[in-house]
Amino acid sequence: MRAEPYIGATVLVIVFASAELGRLIRRELPESHLDDESEAVVKLAMGVVGTLTALVLGLLVATANSSYNASNQEVTSIAANVIRLDRLLRRYGPEVDGLRNQLRLYTIMKLEDLFPEGSATPHTLDNPATVRLLEELQDRLAALEGHNAHQRWLLSEALQLTTAVVGSRWLLAEREEMFGIAVPLLVLVVFWLCVLFMSFGLFAPHNATVTVVLFLCALAAAGAIQMTLDLSRPFEGIVRLSAQPMKHALDVINH
């Protein structure tokens, strides 16, 4: 069971509890520690921590969004190249209808790998059957010689497209396997948030309005972290890539 879906909720609990802890500490401190001068120094120090937290969170979200967009581009590239490959095989002639059927089967399997129905885990890397099917299609294309210059040109273009599909597939798989938020960095950001919210609770009055505001702020911070995690895993979580490009490619091949 993956831990990512629960990290946002855990951060929310920890950060909001830090604000409540600050309120409890306030009750135990002498009044001299809570005067205007002390509050000014704490606010100044927390301004530095808040700036660091905002910068790092912004960087994490931007990096995760960049990876998400790159993954989306790879999926779109695979779908577009599959359509182009099918069109080339149509132009080659009926003798390669078996290759077109194999391409259709690959598209179906790839769609099921990346966007499975229900709660199944996507297979971006560890489905050898789909890999073997594409490599077999590439080998069968390479074995063809063509009867004229036009067919030979179509074969060369088709082989380039299969190479592009293979490249996009491995880029997608490696990006999904390698990208993620470093645990020490995540712990550091959560620690900064806890320090910030503890300072908020330390000088905040005890009433329902302040409690709701602190909770909403903690929810916003936890949501940013959860969003970063979801963007770094584009085939899982709440924010997922669209399967529409692959579905459209399959529809085009089937007609």
Side-chain angles (χ1 to χ4, degrees):
M1 182 179 297
R2 300 189 65 89
E4 282 87 345
Y6 307 100
I7 290 180
T10 303
V11 171
L12 172 61
V13 172
I14 293 174
V15 172
F16 184 67
S18 298
E20 294 302 310
L21 178 61
R23 286 180 169 183
L24 294 176
I25 294 175
R26 175 189 177 94
R27 298 177 183 177
E28 304 299 327
L29 290 177
E31 288 299 324
S32 60
H33 289 204
L34 301 172
D35 56 20
D36 293 340
E37 292 182 357
S38 299
E39 183 177 357
V41 172
V42 171
K43 286 184 177 180
L44 183 62
M46 289 305 103
V48 176
V49 177
T51 302
L52 288 174
T53 305
L55 288 174
V56 174
L57 266 179
L59 178 62
L60 289 176
V61 173
T63 303
N65 185 64
S66 177
S67 177
Y68 178 90
N69 291 333
S71 296
N72 184 61
Q73 185 177 357
E74 296 298 340
V75 171
T76 305
S77 176
I78 291 175
N81 286 331
V82 163
I83 294 174
R84 293 172 60 195
L85 180 57
D86 179 71
R87 299 299 301 177
L88 288 175
L89 294 178
R90 286 173 186 259
R91 293 165 61 188
Y92 187 91
E95 60 266 37
V96 293
D97 284 348
L99 294 181
R100 290 188 60 225
N101 291 332
Q102 191 170 355
L103 178 62
R104 183 182 298 107
L105 179 59
Y106 169 78
T107 306
I108 294 173
M109 293 177 64
K110 192 63 178 177
L111 178 60
E112 293 175 350
D113 287 345
L114 297 179
F115 307 99
E117 297 292 336
S119 58
T121 302
H123 296 282
T124 55
L125 182 62
D126 56 349
N127 192 349
T130 307
V131 179
R132 285 196 300 267
L133 184 63
L134 181 59
E135 291 176 346
E136 180 183 345
L137 173 63
Q138 195 172 33
D139 291 340
R140 292 179 64 183
L141 279 172
L144 295 175
E145 296 182 354
H147 302 296
N148 51 55
H150 181 251
Q151 286 190 337
R152 287 191 289 273
W153 176 81
L154 290 174
L155 286 176
S156 67
E157 292 294 309
L159 284 171
Q160 290 181 21
L161 288 176
T162 57
T163 301
V165 171
V166 171
S168 296
R169 186 262 171 199
W170 284 110
L171 282 174
L172 190 64
E174 289 301 312
R175 183 176 291 110
E176 177 70 5
E177 286 296 308
M178 296 300 296
F179 186 79
I181 298 178
V183 174
L185 182 58
L186 179 62
V187 172
L188 181 61
V189 171
V190 173
F191 173 72
W192 287 345
L193 288 171
C194 290
V195 172
L196 276 174
F197 276 77
M198 187 179 298
S199 71
F200 296 158
L202 190 62
F203 294 98
H206 192 77
N207 57 60
T209 300
V210 171
T211 300
V212 171
V213 169
L214 288 176
F215 178 80
L216 292 178
C217 289
L219 181 62
I225 292 178
Q226 186 63 56
M227 181 65 68
T228 302
L229 292 169
D230 282 342
L231 288 174
S232 67
R233 297 292 183 183
F235 295 98
E236 304 175 53
I238 299 175
V239 183
R240 299 189 183 187
L241 292 178
S242 173
Q244 191 57 39
M246 294 298 298
K247 291 180 178 180
H248 177 256
L250 185 59
D251 289 340
V252 172
I253 293 176
N254 286 331
H255 287 84

